Amino acid sequence: GAGQDVGRSCILVSIAGKNVMLDCGMHMGYNDDRRFPDFSYITQNGRLTDFLDCVIISHFHLDHCGALPYFSEMVGYDGPIYMTHPTKAICPILLEDYRKITVDKKGETNFFTSQMIKDCMKKVVAVHLHQTVQVDEELEIKAYYAGHVLGAAMFQIKVGCESVVYTGDYNMTPDRHLGAAWIDKCRPDLLISESTYATTIRDSKRCRERDFLKKVHETVERGGKVLIPVFALGRAQELCILLETFWERMNLKAPIYFSTGLTEKANHYYKLFITWTNQKIRKTFVQRNMFEFKHIKAFDRAFADNPGPMVVFATPGMLHAGQSLQIFRKWAGNEKNMVIMPGYCVQGTVGHKILSGQRKLEMEGRQILEVKMQVEYMSFSAHADAKGIMQLIRQAEPRNVLLVHGEAKKMEFLKQKIEQEFHVNCYMPANGETTTLFTNPSIPVDISLGLLKRETAIGLLPDAKKPKLMHGTLIMKDNSFRLVSPEQALKELGLAEHQLRFTCRVHIQDPRKEHETVLRVYNHLKGQVVLKDYSVQHLPDGSITVESILIQATAHSEDQGTKVLLVSWTYQDEELGSYLTALLKKGLPPSTS
Amino acid sequence: FFQYCLSGHPTLPCNVLKFKSTTIMLDCGLDMTSTLNFLPMPLVQSPRLSKLPGWVLKDGSTFLDKELKECSGHVFVDSVPEFCLPETELLDLSTVDVILISNYHCMMALPYITEYTGFTGTVYATEPTVQIGRLLMEELVNSIERVPKAQSASMWKNKEVQRLLPAPLKDAVEVSMWRKCYTMPEVNAALSKIQLVGYSQKIELFGAVQVTPLSSGYALGSSNWIIQSHYEKVSYVSGSSLLTTHPQPMDQASLKNSDVLILTGLTQIPTANPDGMVGEFCSNLAMTVRNGGNVLVPCYPSGVIYDLLECLYQYIDSAGLSNVPFYFISPVANSSLEFSQIFAEWLCHNKQTKVYLPEPPFPHAELIQTNKLKHYPSIHGDFSNDFKQPCVVFTGHPSLRFGDVVHFMELWGKSSLNTVIFTEPDFSYLDALAPYQPLAMKCVYCPIDTRLNFIQVSKLLKEVQPLHVVCPEQYTQPPPTQSHRTDLMIDCQPPPMSYHRAEVLTLPYKRRYEKIEIMPELADSLVPLEIKPGISLATVSAVLHTKDNKHVLQLPPKPPQPPTSKKRKRVSDDVPECKSLKPLLSGSIPVDQFVQTLEKHGFSDVKVEDTAKGHIVLLQEAETLIQIEEDSTHIICDNDEPLRVKLRDLVLKFLQKF
């Protein structure tokens, strides 16, 4: 799900032999089989539990978790499901709400039951932000703050040195009740990002807020009614805070109502999970809890017919069912009224229709509803815009990007932009399509400290900029890799070293005594600039050493005027030995004494 | 690997660990028992305290009578109370890279460390630790600053003078290091250096070391810490509890496979059972109130008080105390009660489940709603209007030296109807009461310390099996007052290494390996050779890059093409710059095959002689001989470089390279 589409988010990631399912959402635009993801893509005949190592839910919106009880209880999955604490708290309530609308109101059968929601939630493991959760020995996951709704998180999935980050829905600009999404420079092999607002660059939040307040204010001033369809948790709280402070400041009297029984409860969640809200709210909550509203009261169905101005927040947010739709039908015919859509609407919903300019709507029973009220769209839904998505990519530095949760055309545009700016591959698979990525991981091995210290010690010589060549032996045994010094490798394997030695005879014309020849050779070598860093020694037994290379002189057996220099070295000193013989072959400089 | 021990107090530790070139401070506890040597600071002028006689030396000299006062046979310093800081001279604290905090009681010395030692590093702690730690500090600063005391005594600290004083003043350690309380700006500066972390979060320090906090089960957000590299693991256990109270349970499994386990913060009252103590607390409280007396509970504004309020919530109706007012007085009372309700993720399972409903996790929310529990910032203001007796008052400070508790001690001390119940284990209750003697009010001692006792410790050690245990010296012998109780000490094999204040320990482990990464291009170029069944070898010649303590091996750069210019120096003038190491050789040369190879390469006059240890191969015309033995080959020739190189390469073909 969510491939070139918004709705029923569900992405399967296979990484280093592990299979992880990201989100398990429903689609608001469909009422048939298409409302849930097609789980037969995962496995045709095996049990899901055998195939999946874990399931991760990014946040409580139904297009991200709405299919979860169906998936776990009806299709059958018993493995772990991970989500943050607020998501774990709120998700079952929204699921129950969804179930009620579907089963009790629409009368559908073969849908998940309340008990199934409870059983499903028992499989949930709650995670903290930034906690590294070890799913099994190799697979670990970590949550980051996403700022989209209370408890929304991005997840890093990591096996060995390969990793994927899934953003879920996120918001890169802090709003009135939540903070901004944040991730460290974790350089994942793949970043899977939502792209709801792939082509939008939104003006500043302040402008949008001012605009919103102005429109609400004007409508109320001229005696009109304002309908704001919202989801119970999320934008609703942000807009309530906004209106509450505005009413306070302007000393307005028009009533503000909030529909549905969820409200009180919803605000309670915000109070108890205040650590997930933004800095300002957290800091001041002891003195003044932002989620206790003075001006906003509970809505009763009868109020809709009251005369005079009012503002009503009603659920659901896309005008596809429930109270918001009922109120909409009542008020649509009056041009004094206004409906403000504060978020994205999925195709097929009434919200989407009126936003795309439709003013004659066919309702149930072929009834035509003429929309005379003003329709306003204000992007308050907390998704990152194009700028925000680019910003997150810059933060995380992924090697590849994959776009989901957006419309194909817009994705295409963003994909090009990403490829141009970051020079990484960007993918946008459709539902059911598999994208394969090849990683090129480095191989971690254990290096013996002795060898490493030896190498780093060499590196501390003045010429530290030059590449340090190190030489070692990699021992591979039972899947363990150890890099040790050649000596240690020989010793560990019980092998003896084979010594390869060379001795070269160099003939030198010098009539003097042997020890005098030796002294001349010694002085000659000492005087070589290129040898200044080497230890050149004249030993008491009459021989010379340059490092470990041995030079001895003997008289020629036939010619007294010729001395034979024996230069002897091992294979390990090959370069130096070869150099010295070449040097000595050129003869000695004339004696100065 | 060293451990510098800066505090002698086993439950208020301060250690510095040198671990793989990182310097890590583990906790910075502040020893406040020093304040017991001072006179209480009353909020309202106390005639009794101001009339105490000055202390006179045996020889009758009175030069100390302004600084020292006598009360019921004890001598007290009449000055602003001072605290015993962690050792600051043992090592240069500006070199500390990070400070790890395990719980809010163990961070009280933080401002002294971060603001006065040149510290420039980062402090790591969980969110509840920071928030509640801030409340504790705020309360401390507030209760000391609001009673300005003109005099600051210092004469008695002179070594020559201190010698003449009666115990315990005579034996007080490091009095020259005692410091007055810090200020709020210093607290704020210190707290701004804290970075928040979550349980099981892996934090990389300079690429060399990874630290991870684990739930320790003792208080909201309390943690133990794992400090590890790829090959060494040190567990720091500080203030842990296995009892189910309000915090998330202790994570024991993650402590397994430690090389060293540093064990601090065990229970201070190993003989008392916390559950029994809570029962006694409730029954004493009920009895006093029923008899028309008041109950005073000296306490910290957070921690055990939440559990006590929860017990009382269940107890008051059945005990018929529904109409007795409960007062919680502290400048941070409101904040503490509010904060306790928002840390759902840090609570035990039961409380988490309540939050999911959504209901407040602690029942004190209901006590407040029903007006049974009232909280006030201090005794001034609203409280004086609402105050009704008999009542129960929770207030600080448990040392009885400052805070609102001083007022209630003076107010209620004269009546035997009243009771003071000590629940906090940090101060000896007899010492705490000393400056209030003679006292008519009843004193009940119900110390509630949920931290690990010795039975739990020995179980824990058996479970997690560390190679070595390091602990304060107090834990390696029975308590001084109960020297026969050999069960009240740590018993493990090998015996624990113990430390005392100002000691430096060398920790017993040795590193042998380090992680290094082989880049894919280099890995591709390696040629593994199976030497023995199941064991393969590959020689690696590579360039080592080290950055941020991470090591990477890459393909060596291709040798530069020899310059074609005629002007170039002759090759022999250059000593090879990059001293490329030649591999070691192993194996032996089969003589027959070697001779065949020589002949194949155009040597027609090859002669072989046997020797004692092997063979000599003679190339007569070239006046060259090759000695071949089991483990060595020696090529002796004239200075004919092309010939030598040719022979060398032929020999090498028969040998394995390492």
PDB file of all heavy atoms in Angstrom, chain A residues 111-126:
ATOM      1  N   PHE A 111     -16.095  -8.146   9.631  1.00  0.00           N
ATOM      2  CA  PHE A 111     -15.137  -7.098   9.966  1.00  0.00           C
ATOM      3  C   PHE A 111     -14.536  -7.474  11.319  1.00  0.00           C
ATOM      4  O   PHE A 111     -15.073  -8.311  12.039  1.00  0.00           O
ATOM      5  CB  PHE A 111     -15.868  -5.760  10.068  1.00  0.00           C
ATOM      6  CG  PHE A 111     -14.958  -4.589   9.848  1.00  0.00           C
ATOM      7  CD1 PHE A 111     -14.478  -4.311   8.576  1.00  0.00           C
ATOM      8  CD2 PHE A 111     -14.601  -3.770  10.902  1.00  0.00           C
ATOM      9  CE1 PHE A 111     -13.647  -3.217   8.365  1.00  0.00           C
ATOM     10  CE2 PHE A 111     -13.774  -2.681  10.685  1.00  0.00           C
ATOM     11  CZ  PHE A 111     -13.300  -2.398   9.418  1.00  0.00           C
ATOM     12  N   PHE A 112     -13.421  -6.864  11.670  1.00  0.00           N
ATOM     13  CA  PHE A 112     -12.833  -7.258  12.963  1.00  0.00           C
ATOM     14  C   PHE A 112     -13.699  -6.792  14.133  1.00  0.00           C
ATOM     15  O   PHE A 112     -14.452  -5.834  14.013  1.00  0.00           O
ATOM     16  CB  PHE A 112     -11.384  -6.810  13.097  1.00  0.00           C
ATOM     17  CG  PHE A 112     -11.126  -5.350  12.863  1.00  0.00           C
ATOM     18  CD1 PHE A 112     -11.443  -4.407  13.832  1.00  0.00           C
ATOM     19  CD2 PHE A 112     -10.538  -4.924  11.671  1.00  0.00           C
ATOM     20  CE1 PHE A 112     -11.182  -3.066  13.624  1.00  0.00           C
ATOM     21  CE2 PHE A 112     -10.273  -3.572  11.462  1.00  0.00           C
ATOM     22  CZ  PHE A 112     -10.595  -2.647  12.440  1.00  0.00           C
ATOM     23  N   THR A 113     -13.594  -7.514  15.236  1.00  0.00           N
ATOM     24  CA  THR A 113     -14.441  -7.237  16.394  1.00  0.00           C
ATOM     25  C   THR A 113     -13.659  -6.488  17.464  1.00  0.00           C
ATOM     26  O   THR A 113     -12.440  -6.341  17.359  1.00  0.00           O
ATOM     27  CB  THR A 113     -14.924  -8.551  17.014  1.00  0.00           C
ATOM     28  OG1 THR A 113     -13.766  -9.252  17.477  1.00  0.00           O
ATOM     29  CG2 THR A 113     -15.657  -9.420  16.006  1.00  0.00           C
ATOM     30  N   SER A 114     -14.366  -6.032  18.489  1.00  0.00           N
ATOM     31  CA  SER A 114     -13.705  -5.342  19.607  1.00  0.00           C
ATOM     32  C   SER A 114     -12.670  -6.249  20.255  1.00  0.00           C
ATOM     33  O   SER A 114     -11.578  -5.814  20.617  1.00  0.00           O
ATOM     34  CB  SER A 114     -14.721  -4.942  20.670  1.00  0.00           C
ATOM     35  OG  SER A 114     -15.583  -3.986  20.149  1.00  0.00           O
ATOM     36  N   GLN A 115     -13.027  -7.511  20.406  1.00  0.00           N
ATOM     37  CA  GLN A 115     -12.110  -8.459  21.035  1.00  0.00           C
ATOM     38  C   GLN A 115     -10.845  -8.609  20.196  1.00  0.00           C
ATOM     39  O   GLN A 115      -9.740  -8.681  20.732  1.00  0.00           O
ATOM     40  CB  GLN A 115     -12.800  -9.823  21.208  1.00  0.00           C
ATOM     41  CG  GLN A 115     -11.999 -10.821  22.036  1.00  0.00           C
ATOM     42  CD  GLN A 115     -11.635 -10.252  23.420  1.00  0.00           C
ATOM     43  OE1 GLN A 115     -12.479  -9.644  24.105  1.00  0.00           O
ATOM     44  NE2 GLN A 115     -10.388 -10.414  23.823  1.00  0.00           N
ATOM     45  N   MET A 116     -11.025  -8.590  18.889  1.00  0.00           N
ATOM     46  CA  MET A 116      -9.859  -8.703  18.013  1.00  0.00           C
ATOM     47  C   MET A 116      -8.935  -7.507  18.188  1.00  0.00           C
ATOM     48  O   MET A 116      -7.712  -7.644  18.155  1.00  0.00           O
ATOM     49  CB  MET A 116     -10.305  -8.819  16.550  1.00  0.00           C
ATOM     50  CG  MET A 116     -10.836 -10.194  16.193  1.00  0.00           C
ATOM     51  SD  MET A 116     -11.388 -10.195  14.504  1.00  0.00           S
ATOM     52  CE  MET A 116     -12.050 -11.857  14.394  1.00  0.00           C
ATOM     53  N   ILE A 117      -9.505  -6.316  18.365  1.00  0.00           N
ATOM     54  CA  ILE A 117      -8.661  -5.134  18.597  1.00  0.00           C
ATOM     55  C   ILE A 117      -7.858  -5.339  19.874  1.00  0.00           C
ATOM     56  O   ILE A 117      -6.654  -5.086  19.917  1.00  0.00           O
ATOM     57  CB  ILE A 117      -9.526  -3.851  18.711  1.00  0.00           C
ATOM     58  CG1 ILE A 117     -10.282  -3.620  17.397  1.00  0.00           C
ATOM     59  CG2 ILE A 117      -8.675  -2.649  19.071  1.00  0.00           C
ATOM     60  CD1 ILE A 117     -11.245  -2.456  17.424  1.00  0.00           C
ATOM     61  N   LYS A 118      -8.516  -5.849  20.906  1.00  0.00           N
ATOM     62  CA  LYS A 118      -7.827  -6.072  22.183  1.00  0.00           C
ATOM     63  C   LYS A 118      -6.726  -7.112  22.029  1.00  0.00           C
ATOM     64  O   LYS A 118      -5.599  -6.923  22.512  1.00  0.00           O
ATOM     65  CB  LYS A 118      -8.829  -6.534  23.248  1.00  0.00           C
ATOM     66  CG  LYS A 118      -9.631  -5.389  23.806  1.00  0.00           C
ATOM     67  CD  LYS A 118     -10.532  -5.841  24.944  1.00  0.00           C
ATOM     68  CE  LYS A 118     -11.511  -4.733  25.304  1.00  0.00           C
ATOM     69  NZ  LYS A 118     -12.894  -5.222  25.442  1.00  0.00           N
ATOM     70  N   ASP A 119      -7.032  -8.214  21.347  1.00  0.00           N
ATOM     71  CA  ASP A 119      -6.033  -9.264  21.164  1.00  0.00           C
ATOM     72  C   ASP A 119      -4.850  -8.764  20.342  1.00  0.00           C
ATOM     73  O   ASP A 119      -3.701  -9.105  20.594  1.00  0.00           O
ATOM     74  CB  ASP A 119      -6.661 -10.486  20.484  1.00  0.00           C
ATOM     75  CG  ASP A 119      -7.672 -11.172  21.398  1.00  0.00           C
ATOM     76  OD1 ASP A 119      -7.591 -10.939  22.624  1.00  0.00           O
ATOM     77  OD2 ASP A 119      -8.548 -11.912  20.892  1.00  0.00           O
ATOM     78  N   CYS A 120      -5.198  -7.955  19.365  1.00  0.00           N
ATOM     79  CA  CYS A 120      -4.155  -7.397  18.513  1.00  0.00           C
ATOM     80  C   CYS A 120      -3.227  -6.504  19.339  1.00  0.00           C
ATOM     81  O   CYS A 120      -2.001  -6.582  19.227  1.00  0.00           O
ATOM     82  CB  CYS A 120      -4.819  -6.594  17.394  1.00  0.00           C
ATOM     83  SG  CYS A 120      -3.719  -5.550  16.479  1.00  0.00           S
ATOM     84  N   MET A 121      -3.802  -5.681  20.216  1.00  0.00           N
ATOM     85  CA  MET A 121      -2.993  -4.742  21.005  1.00  0.00           C
ATOM     86  C   MET A 121      -2.089  -5.475  22.000  1.00  0.00           C
ATOM     87  O   MET A 121      -1.092  -4.943  22.439  1.00  0.00           O
ATOM     88  CB  MET A 121      -3.879  -3.728  21.732  1.00  0.00           C
ATOM     89  CG  MET A 121      -4.611  -2.752  20.832  1.00  0.00           C
ATOM     90  SD  MET A 121      -3.621  -2.018  19.511  1.00  0.00           S
ATOM     91  CE  MET A 121      -2.537  -0.948  20.454  1.00  0.00           C
ATOM     92  N   LYS A 122      -2.461  -6.702  22.340  1.00  0.00           N
ATOM     93  CA  LYS A 122      -1.611  -7.476  23.251  1.00  0.00           C
ATOM     94  C   LYS A 122      -0.284  -7.846  22.587  1.00  0.00           C
ATOM     95  O   LYS A 122       0.687  -8.149  23.268  1.00  0.00           O
ATOM     96  CB  LYS A 122      -2.344  -8.755  23.675  1.00  0.00           C
ATOM     97  CG  LYS A 122      -3.366  -8.509  24.758  1.00  0.00           C
ATOM     98  CD  LYS A 122      -4.011  -9.806  25.222  1.00  0.00           C
ATOM     99  CE  LYS A 122      -5.286  -9.503  26.014  1.00  0.00           C
ATOM    100  NZ  LYS A 122      -6.333 -10.501  25.771  1.00  0.00           N
ATOM    101  N   LYS A 123      -0.265  -7.836  21.285  1.00  0.00           N
ATOM    102  CA  LYS A 123       0.972  -8.191  20.564  1.00  0.00           C
ATOM    103  C   LYS A 123       1.889  -6.982  20.400  1.00  0.00           C
ATOM    104  O   LYS A 123       2.968  -7.082  19.822  1.00  0.00           O
ATOM    105  CB  LYS A 123       0.615  -8.766  19.191  1.00  0.00           C
ATOM    106  CG  LYS A 123      -0.175 -10.068  19.294  1.00  0.00           C
ATOM    107  CD  LYS A 123      -0.756 -10.522  17.991  1.00  0.00           C
ATOM    108  CE  LYS A 123      -1.638 -11.753  18.221  1.00  0.00           C
ATOM    109  NZ  LYS A 123      -2.448 -12.094  17.057  1.00  0.00           N
ATOM    110  N   VAL A 124       1.415  -5.829  20.892  1.00  0.00           N
ATOM    111  CA  VAL A 124       2.174  -4.596  20.683  1.00  0.00           C
ATOM    112  C   VAL A 124       3.243  -4.416  21.759  1.00  0.00           C
ATOM    113  O   VAL A 124       2.978  -4.571  22.945  1.00  0.00           O
ATOM    114  CB  VAL A 124       1.228  -3.373  20.689  1.00  0.00           C
ATOM    115  CG1 VAL A 124       2.019  -2.081  20.677  1.00  0.00           C
ATOM    116  CG2 VAL A 124       0.281  -3.444  19.500  1.00  0.00           C
ATOM    117  N   VAL A 125       4.445  -4.100  21.325  1.00  0.00           N
ATOM    118  CA  VAL A 125       5.525  -3.741  22.242  1.00  0.00           C
ATOM    119  C   VAL A 125       5.743  -2.242  22.084  1.00  0.00           C
ATOM    120  O   VAL A 125       5.964  -1.756  20.974  1.00  0.00           O
ATOM    121  CB  VAL A 125       6.824  -4.482  21.875  1.00  0.00           C
ATOM    122  CG1 VAL A 125       7.926  -4.151  22.858  1.00  0.00           C
ATOM    123  CG2 VAL A 125       6.576  -5.985  21.804  1.00  0.00           C
ATOM    124  N   ALA A 126       5.644  -1.506  23.206  1.00  0.00           N
ATOM    125  CA  ALA A 126       5.820  -0.059  23.137  1.00  0.00           C
ATOM    126  C   ALA A 126       7.310   0.285  23.173  1.00  0.00           C
ATOM    127  O   ALA A 126       8.073  -0.339  23.893  1.00  0.00           O
ATOM    128  CB  ALA A 126       5.098   0.612  24.296  1.00  0.00           C
TER     129      ALA A 126
END
